[in-house]
Amino acid sequence: MSLDDCAEALREHDPDRFGICLLAPAEARPRLLTLYALNLELARAPLASTEPLIAEMRLQWWIERLEDIGAGKVQSHELLTPLAEAWGPRAAGFPVLAEARRRDAAREPLDGPEAVAAYVRDTAVPLARFAAEAMGWEAAGGFAPPDPRGVFGKRRKPDVAEVVDAQAEGVGLAHWLAALPALQGLGLGLWDASPEVLAGIAGKARAKLAEARAQRRFVPRRLAPVLFAGAGVRAALRAAPRGIEALAGAAPSEFRRRLALGAFALTHRWWI
């Protein structure tokens, strides 16, 4: 899989992130394309078999290959080769993206809003941090652990990582809701998919998005593409309290996706 193959896979199966890659600076694209293509493969891996043991073995294979890249072992693989070229030893951190998918191998539904939020924090948030690194944030200081108090006890300004995390969790929750009709059929949705539970998940998403929006002035402009929410977030959050049937009809059209991407390209407004 060359970079062009990564782009084609994203264009077909993850169009929002494909659009993000198009808007990223040229020097960041190899890292973003391979990162998002890896995320796509890891999301698919536990769904390749209905047998939990086989599904987990597929994930374990990816974990071991990523560890090999981190150790400097040469890879001969359509995705892992360009990934190693783009990320080098930093790919040693990527197994966290695969570990978060282990529960998918068991095909067990989640138990309410808190469980969904925890799942999204384990999957979407690390991905967003790696994407921010791809945009050059690591070189500018990276994600240092936040200091809870400023000088002389004054309230500190938010760490960029907190804003990235909040936006990633809010967007991730909305995307999870949008995917719920399909997830239910795979056994990866909710034990209780009542409108009340869906409204609770949407409420958590709105709170995180509001948290990120309130702190947007602390985020460097160069990170805007990887914080862009895409076209479907508002529709999913509006539909959720009406139930799973409403979510099934809330997917944005290709026209709306392109319109949202075009508007973002002009304004760099990632917050909603």
Side-chain angles (χ1 to χ4, degrees), residues 138-245:
E138 184 180 31
F143 293 106
D147 178 9
R149 299 177 68 85
V151 179
F152 302 119
K154 295 180 180 178
R155 181 173 177 80
R156 63 175 178 82
K157 72 177 184 179
D159 186 85
V160 172
E162 296 176 58
V163 189
V164 171
D165 290 358
Q167 179 73 358
E169 185 172 343
V171 172
L173 286 166
H175 286 172
W176 191 90
L177 284 169
L180 182 59
L183 293 174
Q184 285 294 98
L186 294 170
L188 295 172
L190 289 162
W191 288 110
D192 175 8
S194 65
E196 294 78 14
V197 172
L198 301 187
I201 297 170
K204 285 182 175 295
R206 292 182 188 279
K208 284 296 177 179
L209 292 169
E211 180 183 331
R213 182 175 64 245
Q215 300 172 348
R216 62 187 181 274
R217 66 185 182 277
F218 300 110
V219 178
R221 184 180 175 88
R222 68 179 175 276
L223 295 188
V226 298
L227 297 177
F228 174 54
V233 166
R234 287 190 178 92
L237 296 181
R238 287 195 300 267
R242 303 199 306 273
I244 197 166
E245 294 80 7

Side-chain angles (χ1 to χ4, degrees), residues 120-145:
V120 168
R121 281 193 297 272
D122 287 343
T123 53
V125 170
L127 181 67
R129 287 193 170 204
F130 285 126
E133 285 188 27
M135 297 295 285
W137 180 243
E138 184 180 31
F143 293 106

